[in-house]
Amino acid sequence: MRNYPVLLFALCAALCPAAELPIGTSLANEPLSPWTESAEADAIVFIFVAPDCPISNRYAPTIRRLAADCADHNIALWLVYADNLADAAAIRTNQTEFKLSGLPTVIDRDFAIADFAGADVTPEAAVFMRPAPESAPLLVYRGRIDDQYQGYNKYRPAPTASELRETLDTIIAGHLPSLTRTKAIGCYLPRP
């Protein structure tokens, strides 16, 4: 019975035409749609990050590992900088410093992608799948990367649960994950 809402949503998504999906801008200030760029991917992972968030920056090694795993399994991983004052130069500097250069990146100045995913903090992850090629994306996970952070400045040396990794493993195994939501700990998105 636990999967009933997800299956019902998947059926509706398969039968209903895809709605207009939010887009952002590239680091070159060009319109950019992660949905179009990743149309052939089995899933799309958005990780909301910020150059000035220490928790987000501490997750850089984990994000690099996740990105490599995703690339090996036809899963698109995007870094999303949701900030109406986002500065491409500061983002590039941050990505160089934390070895995130080269990862697909979108700037979400109007918070359209963050609103669509329901993201509130950095770092926070949202995973979408398409039950059918022309269907609307189905949110299958939103929340923390893992449970290493229990609160601001309160963290474990290593995580004991990795819900994002578990969701990705389910997708890699060829299954539709049950919708999972966890509370992400981090810096709040600077919505106006």
Side-chain angles (χ1 to χ4, degrees):
M1 203 62 177
R2 183 176 165 207
N3 291 333
Y4 183 72
V6 171
L7 293 174
L8 184 61
F9 187 83
L11 178 62
C12 178
L15 298 175
C16 303
E20 190 171 321
L21 299 171
I23 65 169
T25 56
S26 69
L27 291 174
N29 205 30
E30 303 278 334
L32 178 64
S33 171
W35 312 99
T36 302
E37 296 291 322
S38 306
E40 300 300 317
D42 294 332
I44 298 175
V45 179
F46 293 118
I47 299 184
F48 294 85
V49 292
D52 58 352
C53 178
I55 297 173
S56 181
N57 289 331
R58 280 193 167 172
Y59 269 98
T62 302
I63 292 169
R64 287 193 306 269
R65 285 191 299 274
L66 287 167
D69 290 347
C70 286
D72 290 342
H73 294 96
N74 196 35
I75 297 172
L77 185 142
W78 286 81
L79 299 178
V80 182
Y81 292 84
D83 186 343
N84 60 334
L85 301 174
D87 177 48
I91 291 169
R92 283 189 192 95
T93 299
N94 177 260
Q95 288 185 339
T96 299
E97 181 179 351
F98 290 95
K99 298 179 179 74
L100 296 172
S101 297
L103 294 182
T105 300
V106 63
I107 300 172
D108 185 25
R109 287 192 177 96
D110 63 358
F111 301 93
I113 298 170
D115 290 345
F116 188 79
D120 292 316
V121 301
T122 63
E124 186 168 3
V127 180
F128 290 89
M129 294 182 70
R130 288 186 191 238
E134 297 301 317
S135 67
L138 171 66
L139 179 68
V140 295
Y141 179 78
R142 185 185 77 222
R144 64 191 183 193
I145 294 171
D146 58 37
D147 71 345
Q148 188 166 10
Y149 276 83
Q150 299 300 296
Y152 203 75
N153 286 331
K154 183 180 176 189
Y155 59 94
R156 298 179 168 110
T160 61
S162 299
E163 295 89 352
L164 176 57
R165 176 81 257 170
E166 291 167 13
T167 299
L168 296 176
D169 288 343
T170 300
I171 294 168
I172 290 166
H175 304 291
L176 179 66
S178 297
L179 174 62
T180 303
R181 291 189 177 148
T182 59
K183 180 168 177 45
I185 304 296
C187 307
Y188 284 101
L189 296 179
R191 286 184 169 91

